[in-house]
Amino acid sequence: MGNRQTWLWPLAAWTVFTAIALWLTHGVIQLDTDSAMRLVQVRDLLHGQSWFDTVQHRMNTPYGLSMHWSRLVDAPLALLMQVSEKFALTAWPLLLFLAALLLLVRIAFVMAGPRAVVTAMALALLCSGLYATFAPGNIDHHGLQLVVMLAALLCVVERRPALGAAAVALGLGVGLESLPYALAAIAFFVFDQEKSRAFGLTLAGMALLMLAATTASVYRFLPACDTYSLFYAVLLVVGGAGLVAISFLPRHRLAALIVLALALLALEAMLNPVCFAGPYAGMDARMRLIFLDRINEARPVWSFFTLAPAQVVGGYLYAVFALAMCALAPPGRTRLAVMVFTAVALLVATFQYRGVNFALLFALPGLAAALVRLTARRSIVWLAAAILVLNGGAFILAGAIVEGQDRVALRAMRFAAQEDCGHEPALAALKALPPGRVAAFVDQGPTILAYTGDAVIAGPYHRGSAGILDSYAIFAGADPRAVLQKRGINYLMTCRAAPDWNFYRDHGGLIAQLAAGQIPAWLTPAGHSGAVELYKVR
């Protein structure tokens, strides 16, 4: 198989995926909460908000919310929106999927040649766990993170220090979920004496460039833990410069690396010791019960299994299986890098399920190479059979059998009803009223901003702890009117299909009254759509 034919396979796989995705959506794009919030951020940029200002002025009304999201995702979306908004919402995730396929092809080719390319493309198309990330309308930062970290893995495989350092810096700039995989890439280049100098020099330069060109003004001089800021820039610059200096040492490099690591830990303690506790450090303790413990993707795998057994089997266990199979791939640097990155992602996913997609993507080239190697002396039929049996879709099907068809169907129905709480048709009654300030469930906040001109109290973001706590006080507290008056709220919105409805109802307060059919005198019904109910606040 020629080199040109090799690169045709990802284009063919991408064409198939695109055709299926467009057919399934029928041209109707539904936004999840993060995608809706990203759309609002890009619109604000296009309407004149400064590149270095990421405050969402209609969130946490009337005070505004300083978001921790990067402008690196906004830039390509803003460019694509010059064609049209719908084009950007459709094209961006599909382009990211094409980039992911091209990177997978290169890694698989290095591992086991042309047959591994075809196998990797088939496995990628059959890995339904990745579909949602690259579906039209999904414009949050996760897709870009996956692609950039996959690029970092390829740079490790091919020993490209400058590009590897750029991928590490960009990944951290997009979002700190990339940090574990960035550290894995750094570790490979740190112990690569021949390449460490170029890596360290590029890393230090990229860190400064990111701070100057892509970081919001407020974070350039603030050592924030939960976004790329002065904190991470200083550590990357010092670490990169340290690697350059160590590369000139003729001996005792390991001791020097240990000293550098200790110096970076001391520097971290000086800059912001709170960051040792993670990006959520310093948050109000009440936020764990009210918000953090209820984020499904942040649950450990054993807790997530109680919610969606089929997803765990088709995602986490499939990634574990793929990692084990990687051990049967041809030995060498590529296999080691693939296994290390996958193992790191699985470790993350064990304690926060959101790491599963990284594990799946990292493991696919290794699984493809292993299947090719195991069937090398047999006909192509054996390889095709192995692909049909050992793919993500087959694991999802096995998980559905474990979970039970009725339970899977019920879960899907509940999830669809929950999603409808924030879709545009559910906001028809609100759109018919003059713009104002809205008290709504946390997950409804971003879609209200995207589809109306109203302002909201809260969204599902840890930075908005004041708004989340006030939302709890409104819907489950003893004196909701005090919070409503303090924030000057005009409308109150609920949704009986949302998890928040049951959560607030079980804690008493306003939602418990509404559930019992008791509407307070200071609320006037103003319309409803399905499970969504709207009230005017007197």
Side-chain angles (χ1 to χ4, degrees):
M1 184 183 298
N3 190 55
R4 181 178 297 179
Q5 289 175 299
T6 298
W7 293 105
L8 288 177
W9 285 106
L11 294 175
W14 179 77
T15 301
V16 171
F17 176 82
T18 299
I20 294 173
L22 294 178
W23 176 72
L24 289 175
T25 58
H26 299 291
V28 178
I29 296 176
Q30 304 286 12
L31 302 178
D32 61 19
T33 53
D34 282 354
S35 296
M37 195 71 240
R38 176 65 64 184
L39 178 60
V40 171
Q41 185 160 298
V42 177
R43 283 175 178 169
D44 289 347
L45 177 65
L46 291 174
H47 291 159
Q49 187 170 6
S50 169
W51 172 266
F52 298 107
D53 174 18
T54 56
V55 173
Q56 285 302 317
H57 297 283
R58 290 191 292 142
M59 181 74 75
N60 189 36
T61 184
Y63 314 111
L65 177 63
S66 181
M67 292 291 289
H68 59 293
W69 285 3
S70 169
R71 286 293 194 194
L72 286 170
V73 189
D74 298 342
L77 284 167
L79 182 63
L80 292 171
M81 282 185 190
Q82 301 307 305
V83 178
S84 76
E85 191 170 278
K86 187 174 183 180
F87 175 77
L89 293 173
T90 303
W92 177 239
L94 293 176
L95 289 173
L96 287 176
F97 188 61
L98 176 59
L101 292 177
L102 292 171
L103 292 167
L104 286 174
V105 158
R106 183 59 189 169
I107 298 170
F109 184 83
V110 172
M111 290 189 83
R115 288 184 72 183
V117 168
V118 181
T119 305
M121 292 300 93
L123 291 173
L125 281 180
L126 293 169
C127 189
S128 55
L130 296 173
Y131 284 6
T133 303
F134 299 105
N138 197 333
I139 57 169
D140 64 14
H141 57 283
H142 298 115
L144 182 58
Q145 279 182 319
L146 285 167
V147 169
V148 173
M149 287 299 98
L150 194 60
L153 171 57
L154 176 59
C155 290
V156 168
V157 167
E158 297 191 334
R159 299 180 68 203
R160 297 177 180 270
L163 291 177
V168 165
L170 286 172
L172 293 175
V174 172
L176 292 181
E177 294 98 332
S178 302
L179 181 59
Y181 323 112
L183 292 175
I186 289 172
F188 272 92
F189 283 109
V190 160
F191 293 102
D192 189 335
Q193 184 173 359
E194 183 182 340
K195 303 293 184 180
S196 62
R197 184 182 305 173
F199 180 82
L201 188 63
T202 307
L203 187 64
M206 282 295 298
L208 290 174
L209 179 62
M210 297 277 292
L211 188 70
T214 70
T215 305
S217 299
V218 67
Y219 304 127
R220 287 194 218 145
F221 306 102
L222 180 71
C225 308
D226 61 349
T227 188
Y228 189 82
S229 65
L230 178 69
F231 178 80
Y232 295 100
V234 169
L235 291 176
L236 290 176
V237 169
V238 173
L243 283 179
V244 173
I246 291 172
S247 70
F248 287 100
L249 295 178
R251 54 189 176 183
H252 305 305
R253 293 184 73 254
L254 180 59
L257 287 172
I258 294 173
V259 171
L260 176 61
L262 293 174
L264 289 175
L265 289 174
L267 184 58
E268 181 177 353
M270 292 172 56
L271 288 169
N272 192 348
V274 175
C275 294
F276 281 111
Y280 294 150
M283 252 192 332
D284 191 301
R286 295 171 294 172
M287 283 284 287
R288 182 156 297 280
L289 172 65
I290 293 173
F291 177 64
L292 290 180
D293 288 348
R294 301 172 58 225
I295 302 175
N296 288 339
E297 65 177 13
R299 292 173 182 260
V301 65
W302 55 86
S303 175
F304 196 86
F305 183 81
T306 63
L307 298 175
Q311 283 184 250
V312 173
V313 174
Y316 184 86
L317 291 185
Y318 179 52
V320 170
F321 165 78
L323 175 60
M325 289 292 290
C326 286
L328 303 177
R333 179 186 178 89
T334 304
R335 185 179 73 176
L336 176 62
V338 166
M339 293 186 70
V340 168
F341 273 67
T342 305
V344 170
L346 275 172
L347 180 62
V348 172
T350 301
F351 297 99
Q352 286 202 354
Y353 194 77
R354 72 181 82 200
V356 163
N357 280 349
F358 285 98
L360 290 173
L361 207 56
F362 294 150
L364 284 181
L367 175 58
L371 294 180
V372 167
R373 189 183 186 194
L374 291 173
T375 59
R377 297 182 180 180
R378 299 179 181 272
S379 69
I380 195 69
V381 175
W382 282 89
L383 178 58
I387 293 171
L388 288 175
V389 174
L390 303 176
N391 64 76
F395 272 71
I396 283 281
L397 180 60
I401 294 172
V402 170
E403 185 173 349
Q405 183 177 356
D406 292 342
R407 183 178 172 186
V408 171
L410 178 62
R411 179 162 56 83
M413 183 178 66
R414 287 176 175 171
F415 181 74
Q418 174 187 337
E419 291 286 287
D420 285 342
C421 292
H423 287 163
E424 188 171 9
L427 305 179
L430 182 61
K431 292 174 70 173
L433 297 172
R437 297 174 183 173
V438 185
F441 291 167
V442 171
D443 283 345
Q444 291 178 299
T447 48
I448 290 173
L449 296 187
Y451 296 129
T452 76
D454 297 276
V456 297
I457 294 179
Y461 310 110
H462 67 277
R463 277 291 184 89
S465 57
I468 293 172
L469 293 174
D470 274 358
S471 295
Y472 180 85
I474 290 169
F475 293 115
D479 189 7
R481 294 190 72 185
V483 182
L484 293 169
Q485 290 173 359
K486 177 185 72 173
R487 288 183 175 265
I489 300 302
N490 307 106
Y491 311 116
L492 185 141
M493 179 180 286
T494 68
C495 184
R496 292 177 183 256
D500 278 356
W501 176 271
N502 295 325
F503 177 76
Y504 291 135
R505 182 192 60 194
D506 293 343
H507 287 74
L510 177 59
I511 292 300
Q513 295 179 45
L514 295 176
Q518 302 169 3
I519 302 176
W522 45 271
L523 286 182
T524 301
H528 66 88
S529 176
V532 173
E533 298 170 350
L534 181 65
Y535 302 89
K536 288 183 179 180
V537 179
R538 294 184 183 177

